[in-house]
């Protein structure tokens, strides 16, 4: 396999970033994993230290990279901790602007930003405003730019479905905000990796692409299906917004909140994707939800 060049994946130790690292390496890229863990980077030859909050670390982190991929979330995402600058604005907004400047200074040719579905041209919610700010920085950078907007992402290392499945070992019922009626289009994390590996080949299209799986369902249906696969059936108990929101406000003041108002808003969003542009420009098989879950839940 011909070598493709050097790629720096910022957030390459994460759930989505890790899948992208594997896919790029399989496609022939020499991948550098950029992590905010300085001690780990110092003892691992394939890693570099880069902190989205510290622009002085980002230049050395992406030095020599033809391709920069950004898939970095703040710790405990989506639960913000403003006292530590762990917010959508600092990472998806200002952090993206910092990283774009570093990539340009390093001479990167192409930039991929993993954002999320639901972003519009004039968003009103803080998390979408931050992501949109980051997207604009990437698309206006002058580099070959690709924005990937995933719907709900699942896989062996996800902290969504897997966390809930583990919790139901101890819960007699499954409490869900607004009965879990939010619309979703779950996408297997490996499909995102394959898309990025395809999209960074020379001559491939640029711009914004949404990606979701082939199946549309509610959050309640997603979780019931996952629980059925592991032999655990639970009755869904609807948690009303009138109860959940005051609790989220109260808990948000704790040092390590379990929920915050912004995180609750995020959980109540519909995450579905327009797959038309993706199917038009890329040859990518999207994994059915049942097939994806069976690949690791019943292995």
């Amino acid at each position: 396999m011909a070598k493709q060049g050097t790629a720096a994946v910022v957030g390459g130790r994460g759930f989505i970033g890790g899948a992208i690292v594997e896919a790029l390496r399989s496609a022939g890229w020499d991948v550098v994993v950029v992590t905010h863990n300085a001690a780990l980077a110092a003892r691992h030859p394939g890693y570099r230290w880069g902190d989205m909050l510290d622009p002085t670390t980002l230049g050395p982190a992406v030095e020599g990279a033809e391709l920069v991929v950004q898939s970095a979330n703040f710790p405990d995402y989506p639960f913000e901790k403003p006292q530590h600058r762990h917010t959508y604005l600092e990472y998806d907004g200002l952090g993206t602007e910092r990283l774009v400047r570093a990539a340009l200074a390093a001479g990167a040719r192409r930039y991929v930003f993993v954002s999320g579905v639901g972003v519009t041209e004039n968003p009103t919610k803080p998390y979408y405003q931050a992501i949109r700010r980051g997207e604009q920085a990437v698309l206006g950078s002058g580099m070959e730019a690709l924005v990937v907007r995933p719907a709900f992402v699942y896989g062996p290392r996800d902290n969504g479905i897997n966390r809930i499945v583990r919790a139901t070992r101890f819960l007699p019922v499954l409490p869900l905000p607004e009965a879990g009626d939010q619309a979703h289009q779950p996408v297997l994390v490996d499909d995102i990796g394959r898309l990025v590996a395809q999209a960074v080949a020379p001559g491939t299209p640029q711009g914004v692409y949404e990606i979701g799986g082939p199946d549309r369902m509610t959050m309640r249906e997603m979780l019931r299906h996952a629980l059925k696969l592991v032999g655990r059936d639970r009755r869904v108990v609807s948690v009303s917004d009138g109860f959940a929101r005051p609790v989220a406000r109260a808990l948000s003041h704790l040092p390590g909140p379990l929920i915050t108002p912004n995180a609750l808003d995020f959980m109540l969003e519909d995450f579905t994707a327009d797959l038309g542009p993706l199917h038009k420009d890329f040859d990518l098989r999207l994994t059915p939800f049942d097939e994806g879950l069976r690949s690791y839940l019943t292995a």
Side-chain angles (χ1 to χ4, degrees):
M1 180 182 296
K3 285 292 183 181
Q4 302 294 330
T6 299
V9 181
V10 183
R13 292 180 59 238
F15 170 47
I16 297 176
I20 293 172
V21 167
E22 291 183 14
L24 289 176
R25 284 178 174 157
S26 296
W29 287 86
D30 181 15
V31 179
V32 172
V33 174
V34 178
T35 174
H36 69 276
N37 188 325
L40 181 63
R43 49 175 203 270
H44 195 299
Y47 286 19
R48 291 181 188 170
W49 177 42
D51 187 339
M52 294 290 287
L53 302 177
D54 183 355
T56 65
T57 70
L58 296 177
V62 300
E63 182 179 359
E66 299 172 37
L67 165 67
V68 173
V69 179
Q70 178 187 343
S71 179
N73 288 325
F74 50 85
D76 296 323
Y77 173 93
F79 306 112
E80 295 179 292
K81 294 180 180 177
Q83 67 273 28
H84 299 304
R85 297 172 64 197
H86 294 167
T87 66
Y88 294 99
L89 178 60
E90 284 285 359
Y91 274 72
D92 295 293
L94 298 172
T96 304
E97 292 174 350
R98 298 180 193 113
L99 188 55
V100 165
R101 287 194 293 269
L104 284 168
R109 170 183 63 86
R110 195 169 183 109
Y111 194 110
V112 177
F113 177 36
V114 181
S115 65
V117 297
V119 182
T120 61
E121 290 189 6
N122 297 294
T124 58
K125 296 179 179 178
Y127 40 89
Y128 286 144
Q129 290 172 342
I131 295 171
R132 179 60 177 163
R133 180 168 178 167
E135 288 186 353
Q136 289 177 310
V138 173
L139 296 170
S141 67
M143 291 180 282
E144 297 175 17
L146 182 80
V147 171
V148 178
R149 292 177 175 172
F152 184 98
V153 186
Y154 71 99
R157 294 176 56 204
D158 78 63
N159 279 324
I161 290 177
N162 293 330
R163 178 181 290 181
I164 293 171
V165 167
R166 288 193 298 269
T168 56
R169 288 181 297 179
F170 313 103
L171 295 175
V173 296
L174 181 60
L176 291 177
E178 301 297 332
D181 284 332
Q182 303 80 24
H184 286 280
Q185 200 167 339
V187 55
L188 184 65
V189 67
D190 292 341
D191 291 349
I192 298 174
R194 285 190 284 267
L195 170 61
V196 172
Q198 275 193 36
V200 296
T204 50
Q206 303 174 45
V208 179
Y209 291 89
E210 296 186 353
I211 180 171
D215 305 304
R216 290 198 177 197
M217 60 191 71
T218 64
M219 173 60 77
R220 180 176 64 255
E221 291 168 335
M222 285 169 52
L223 294 175
R224 276 183 167 165
H225 191 74
L227 290 173
K228 182 178 180 181
L229 284 179
V230 298
R232 203 174 300 146
D233 190 22
R234 296 291 183 271
R235 181 172 66 89
V236 171
V237 175
S238 178
V239 181
S240 70
D241 190 67
F243 174 79
R245 198 158 299 278
V247 170
R249 282 196 296 269
L251 292 178
S252 67
H253 300 294
L254 298 177
L258 297 173
I259 189 69
T260 64
N262 276 350
L264 179 61
D265 283 340
F266 193 78
M267 293 168 63
L268 292 172
E269 294 283 355
D270 293 330
F271 290 116
T272 58
D274 176 5
L275 299 179
L278 180 76
H279 287 314
K280 175 178 177 291
D281 292 337
F282 296 98
D283 180 19
L284 182 70
R285 177 185 180 270
L286 296 171
T287 306
F289 186 57
D290 181 77
E291 179 183 327
L293 283 182
R294 288 180 182 279
S295 69
Y296 65 94
L297 275 186
T298 59

